[in-house]
């Protein structure tokens, strides 16, 4: 059903297989998800997307579980059904409990409500928020 | 400039003042931001919105700083200029460093990219993501 | 600042003037707003957009004020700053009171919140909503 | 399929049952829809969301049918499939005819088109829309 | 499943049939797609939408294939599942290869990422982009 | 005003300067725009974003001007003001005429309208669009 079809491991060329191998090794799984198989017809996009994602989701100033919560918050706001399903699973795997999911969604829902209210009421940005010590 | 104007403390009725007092006490500040003043012409919405926000952003299974990062992730995805400005400040106040901001934005940017790719490539949800132990 | 500049009445060709005249006659005003002047460099788009809008916003099964409230609800959800400003004014001209504006925004805010929650919680459509007597 | 599963009446605790009872009494139905069952694992969010919705959708300066049309306009703009299905049904129950649905959608479609055009053509807000008698 | 049902050719009135005939003649096909059948209960919207689309998608300063790529870029950004499916097919029919699809999506994905980054980092518009020779 | 401030060339470290040099050489300009200066506080994001963008926007199966039109179509749909301004300029530099801009916007506006209509009318995907020769 994916537009360009899915590239399975056994049919993949060496460049694609190398990315698949790295995904499985990094994630400690023995298969790659449909997202990667769907974009693999374009090996350059596959490699670029994976390299970026791997780098961005690695531990840093923000821990991996929090990064997954943020990813799920964005996917929920965009209502990307595939991403909601896959990142809910990723977040659960990294430790998100049902209680955390519910709190996450409460924040996401509220943010979506107040975002619209702020723009619709035409609220001017407060003076104190205009300069940044950065 | 706000559609219904801003309700300043000295002009507010007791119901609005009570909410303003609670906002300032909860946030340990001596003023309320324009968002609250802009919706205060409708005291019921003011009270309801504040009560919900206060409850949702309180410490729980997710800590307050992480909740602010999530709020900023949603506001960024929605490109709400007021909310980006005010929640960047809120997050900084709660401990977000420049490094954390940069990592947050890297995750938010990447999530927005892959959300669109997943939908546009028409990727089917993997079997493993369809059932939930919930 | 508009990308193609604004076409003022005195500089407009007869085709554009005819549309401007119809806008002013229909709206009982003596000027056209910037939106129309900005798209007037492309007279075909100007005419098509105006003819569609005029037809759609005319009294029908839904009254003109309600149509303006709906227009403002969409513009708020999309956070189109120009459209929020202009359609708030249009709705006020057709009878929207401050109380109606506040109620409108409460509905719009709540709808934006629950839209995201429904998708993020992956709620299945109830059986009863799947068939339509239409 | 809902992420946290659905909480059925017979399995609900007293707090959740109280909300379900109020939903059924208010809506004059003998069951609650999946949306409520899906968020009920988090009773606080269930109660807060229902109390807000009940208050907002009640008769006021805007009548209940018009509020449903506005809700459907937002849900359509956000392309929330669950919400489109459920609020189309709610609006029909409150009196929306097929003709009204078609007119509603014509307005929603047009607003989405002109919202984008106004921003993409970089139209400046007219002087007359900048100040508000509020 | 469409809200107002689908209007099939044999059940259509002369006004609807005339539009269907024009769609089939213009597209050199012997059937019309569900989108047109779904909005045909409102013949005025059907005619207006088709006339606008026919005019807009015709060869002009931009060629028809490029217009289809643009249509698909917008549909992907909005995550409209029906539109992604139908416009992927339309674009393929007009000459879009798999390689072009992959490049199109790479641009669309990147644009969605940088759009959010530009707003979230609160980047000011460069002086050089503020005036237009237009 | 940018959240983390702008990194000017003279203040940049060698890693950032190398990216700036490559941007200016690739684009044949003698300065970099604010977007790059705003994300340069995070050199890794700067480098990754630029490398991706450079690769994606290079000539391929789709020519550079068409890629710019697609970028502007997405930026318009997302209503990213910075991106609309900068990519309108980029597209003009690569050959976009006023007539092309107007046609582009007509397609973008129409796509945004029909995207919403297709979802709001709950149109089912035609059988013929479900399988792909891919």
């Amino acid at each position: 059903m994916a537009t360009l079809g899915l590239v399975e491991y056994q049919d993949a060329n060496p460049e694609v297989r190398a990315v698949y191998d790295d995904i499985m090794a990094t994630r400690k799984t023995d298969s790659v998800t449909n997202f990667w198989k769907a974009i693999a017809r374009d090996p350059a996009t596959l490699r670029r997307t994976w390299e970026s994602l791997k780098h961005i989701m690695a531990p840093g100033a923000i821990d991996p579980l929090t990064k997954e919560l943020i990813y799920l918050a964005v996917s929920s706001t965009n209502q990307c059904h595939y991403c909601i399903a896959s990142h809910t699973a990723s977040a659960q795997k990294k430790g998100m409990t049902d209680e955390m999911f519910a709190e996450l969604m409460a924040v996401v829902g509220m943010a979506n409500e107040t975002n619209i209210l702020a723009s619709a009421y035409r609220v001017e940005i407060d003076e104190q928020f205009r300069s940044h010590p950065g």
Side-chain angles (χ1 to χ4, degrees), chain A:
Chain A
M1 178 104 146
T3 299
L4 302 186
L6 300 181
V7 179
E8 299 297 340
Y9 192 88
Q10 63 271 25
D11 306 317
N13 67 27
E15 185 182 358
V16 168
R17 282 192 182 187
V19 176
Y20 284 8
D21 286 338
D22 194 37
I23 292 173
M24 292 187 284
T26 303
R27 297 189 161 175
K28 302 185 201 328
T29 58
D30 58 3
S31 66
V32 298
T33 56
N34 287 346
F35 176 75
W36 303 107
K37 294 178 185 170
I39 65 174
R41 284 289 176 97
D42 177 17
T45 290
L46 173 69
R47 176 171 293 283
R48 182 179 50 74
T49 306
W50 167 247
E51 292 294 344
S52 293
L53 195 73
K54 182 184 174 183
H55 175 78
I56 288 169
M57 299 304 279
I62 300 177
D63 66 277
L65 172 55
T66 299
K67 287 184 174 181
E68 279 294 343
L69 298 179
I70 292 164
Y71 219 107
L72 185 49
V74 172
S75 302
S76 299
T77 299
N78 283 332
Q79 292 186 89
C80 172
H81 304 297
Y82 181 85
C83 312
I84 289 169
S86 63
H87 285 280
T88 295
S90 305
Q92 287 172 328
K93 198 173 163 187
K94 287 185 182 162
M96 180 179 72
T97 62
D98 285 1
E99 196 182 358
M100 290 172 74
F101 175 81
E103 287 194 16
L104 169 65
M105 286 310 144
V107 176
V108 168
M110 196 69 197
N112 273 285
E113 177 172 356
T114 58
N115 281 186
I116 301 305
L117 290 180
S119 294
Y121 268 87
R122 306 175 67 191
V123 187
E124 282 198 310
I125 296 180
D126 303 71
E127 191 59 44
Q128 73 203 83
F129 300 146
R130 290 191 194 157
S131 61
H132 293 275

